Amino acid sequence: MSDILKHIPVGYIANQVAHQMGLAEGIPGLRSTTTLGDIMEQYQQAKLSANYIRGKIGEKKNKVRDRVDRRLAREFEKNKTQSSSTSRTYSPTGSYNPSPLPKQYQGGASDFNRLADQQAKQSSQYLADQQNDDDPASFNQNKAKRDLNSAKKEATDKFKKEAQELLMKTAEKIAKKLGLRTVSLSSGSTGVGLIVTFIIWSGQAILGNLMGSKIVPKLDWWEFILWLVVGLALLGILILASALLVLISDPVGVGWDALSNWISS
Amino acid sequence: MLNDVEEKIDSSVEALELALSENKSLEMIKPLFENLVEALSRKLVLNLNKIKDDNIDLSEEKMAVMQAEEVERYKETVAYFAHYVDKNFNDRS
C-alpha cells in the first residue's frame, strides 16, 4: 500500500465526526492515532490467523479420513478373504492401525457414516479404474460394491456397539454413585441413619478415596472433609467417655479424690 | 438522517470509482478517500447511538461488546475500500 493512503488518519477523522455529532467520549476502541495502515495491518493479521486455523482444521479432517480409509480397507480385505472372492484385488496403502477412533469421533455415527460413504464412493472409483480388460467388468464391479457395502455396514455396526457399551458403562457408574448417595443422605435424616451414613462414608472414604478402589465410588471433597471432621469428633467423644467411665467405676479408689483435689487446687 | 448519510456514502464511493477509472493520481484520490471515511464515520456514530437507544435494558458490558462489533465492522469496511483502491493501483502498473 502506498504511503499516501497508509497515513490517512482514520481514527482522527472518525473521532472528530463523533465529537461533531455529540458523541463526547468519541468512538470506543478507536484511537485518534489509528491510521489506515494500522487498520490494514490488523486485517492482514486476522486473515493470516484465519488461514492458519483453516489449515489446522484441514489437517485434522485428513487424519480422520486416513484412519477411516485404513479401517474400511481392512474390513474390505477381511470380507474378501472370507467370501474367497475372485474379483480383482483391492490394494490399500499403508498398514491398518487397530486403535479405535479418537474420542471426539466416538458416538458420532452420522459423521462416520458420511466418511464411510465417501470412502465407498472413492473405492468403487478406484476399482473401476483398475478394471482389467480380461475380467468380466460388470460382475467385478457389482461384487466390489457388495463387498464394500457389507464392509461399511460391519464397521458401522461394530462402531455403534462399542459406543453403546461405553454409554452403558458410564450410566452404570453414575447410577451406582447416585444410589449410594441417596441411601446415605436419606438415612442421614434420622439419628440411627447418621451412624449408617457415617459407616457408608467410612467405607467409601477408606476403599474409594484412600485405597483407590475402582468398584467403590469415591466421596466428593466436601463429603470427605465432613467425614474426617465427624470421625475426629467421634474419636474425641469416645476418649472422653472412656475417661469418664474409668472415673465413675473408680477401679483403684483414687479417681474422684484425684479429681476433687485437682478442682480444689 | 441515516438516509442522508447513506447517500453521502454512495456519492463518495461513486466519486472514488470515477477517479480510479480516470486513472487519477493518489494525491487526487486521497481527499476522496478521506471523504468516504468521514461519511462512513457518520454512519458509525449513528449506528452506535442506535445501539444505545435500542438496548437501554442491556448491561454496560453487553452494550460495549455490541458497540465494539460495530466498530470492527466499520474498520472492515474501511479496509475493504483501501484494498480496493490499492488493487486498482497495482493493476494499473
Side-chain angles (χ1 to χ4, degrees):
Chain A
M1 171 172 266
S2 69
D3 283 348
I4 297 175
L5 288 180
K6 226 184 243 181
H7 292 120
I8 290 178
V10 176
Y12 178 76
I13 294 171
N15 279 309
Q16 280 291 107
V17 169
H19 287 303
Q20 279 170 18
M21 291 175 77
L23 200 67
E25 67 269 23
I27 308 286
L30 187 64
R31 283 175 298 178
S32 293
T33 50
T34 306
T35 60
L36 186 59
D38 297 334
I39 293 175
M40 290 299 281
E41 198 180 322
Q42 186 188 334
Y43 278 89
Q44 285 291 348
Q45 280 171 0
K47 209 173 165 185
L48 284 174
S49 306
N51 286 342
Y52 176 77
I53 292 165
R54 235 175 266 143
K56 283 281 165 199
I57 292 169
E59 274 174 26
K60 198 156 193 170
K61 271 187 187 168
N62 285 340
K63 273 183 192 168
V64 176
R65 202 172 294 140
D66 288 348
R67 201 169 275 201
V68 173
D69 280 357
R70 285 200 296 271
R71 177 175 277 214
L72 278 171
R74 186 174 163 268
E75 295 291 338
F76 177 81
E77 279 297 320
K78 202 172 124 191
N79 203 42
K80 196 167 168 294
T81 319
Q82 278 171 1
S83 60
S84 63
S85 168
T86 52
S87 64
R88 207 169 160 70
T89 312
Y90 174 76
S91 315
T93 51
S95 59
Y96 172 67
N97 182 3
S99 62
L101 283 170
K103 269 191 181 170
Q104 62 266 39
Y105 297 102
Q106 287 181 7
S110 57
D111 279 353
F112 184 82
N113 281 338
R114 185 172 50 76
L115 288 168
D117 277 330
Q118 278 176 9
Q119 173 58 23
K121 276 179 197 165
Q122 283 170 7
S123 303
S124 300
Q125 187 60 42
Y126 174 81
L127 281 170
D129 293 345
Q130 295 292 313
Q131 206 64 259
N132 193 328
D133 290 337
D134 299 328
D135 288 337
S138 59
F139 173 78
N140 274 348
Q141 205 164 1
N142 288 339
K143 179 75 182 157
K145 271 183 188 170
R146 274 200 304 278
D147 286 349
L148 270 170
N149 283 338
S150 64
K152 191 184 85 177
K153 194 173 178 301
E154 207 173 307
T156 313
D157 288 347
K158 199 177 165 189
F159 170 77
K160 277 181 185 169
K161 205 178 159 191
E162 277 173 15
Q164 272 175 354
E165 275 172 13
L166 188 73
L167 194 71
M168 287 298 288
K169 269 184 192 170
T170 318
E172 267 176 29
K173 211 172 170 182
I174 291 167
K176 204 186 276 179
K177 195 164 184 176
L178 274 178
L180 263 178
R181 187 166 290 169
T182 314
V183 169
S184 56
L185 285 178
S186 57
S187 58
S189 58
T190 65
V192 179
L194 275 173
I195 298 165
V196 176
T197 307
F198 183 72
I199 292 167
I200 292 172
W201 278 12
S202 302
Q204 280 183 264
I206 293 164
L207 296 172
N209 292 50
L210 300 177
M211 292 173 73
S213 164
K214 283 179 183 173
I215 301 160
V216 181
K218 285 180 181 178
L219 284 180
D220 281 349
W221 65 270
W222 62 272
E223 288 173 328
F224 188 72
I225 288 169
L226 197 61
W227 171 78
L228 269 180
V229 170
V230 173
L232 285 173
L234 279 179
L235 192 70
I237 290 168
L238 199 69
I239 291 166
L240 279 176
S242 20
L244 205 65
L245 276 175
V246 169
L247 283 172
I248 291 167
S249 61
D250 206 359
V252 287
V254 291
W256 285 113
D257 290 340
L259 189 65
S260 55
N261 285 339
W262 178 68
I263 289 167
S264 58
S265 66
Chain B
M1 186 78 169
L2 189 66
N3 286 341
D4 294 345
V5 172
E6 276 173 356
E7 267 176 32
K8 199 179 176 195
I9 292 173
D10 287 343
S11 61
S12 303
V13 172
E14 274 172 25
L16 192 66
E17 278 180 336
L18 189 71
L20 287 170
S21 65
E22 287 172 356
N23 288 341
K24 293 264 168 71
S25 65
L26 270 177
E27 284 79 8
M28 299 280 280
I29 282 168
K30 190 190 167 195
L32 297 175
F33 195 89
E34 282 174 346
N35 273 348
L36 176 62
V37 170
E38 193 193 322
L40 288 171
S41 303
R42 283 187 189 279
K43 196 181 174 190
L44 171 68
V45 175
L46 288 179
N47 286 344
L48 291 177
N49 284 336
K50 194 169 181 288
I51 288 172
K52 244 187 206 173
D53 297 341
D54 290 353
N55 304 288
I56 299 168
D57 301 336
L58 273 187
S59 65
E60 270 186 27
E61 288 82 13
K62 281 184 184 169
M63 187 94 80
V65 169
M66 285 174 83
Q67 288 190 332
E69 279 171 3
E70 194 57 46
V71 174
E72 282 307 306
R73 266 199 289 276
Y74 162 80
K75 283 184 188 172
E76 213 169 302
T77 314
V78 172
Y80 166 78
F81 280 112
H83 180 71
Y84 176 72
V85 172
D86 202 40
K87 191 172 174 295
N88 196 288
F89 265 89
N90 285 341
D91 290 348
R92 229 188 259 182
S93 57

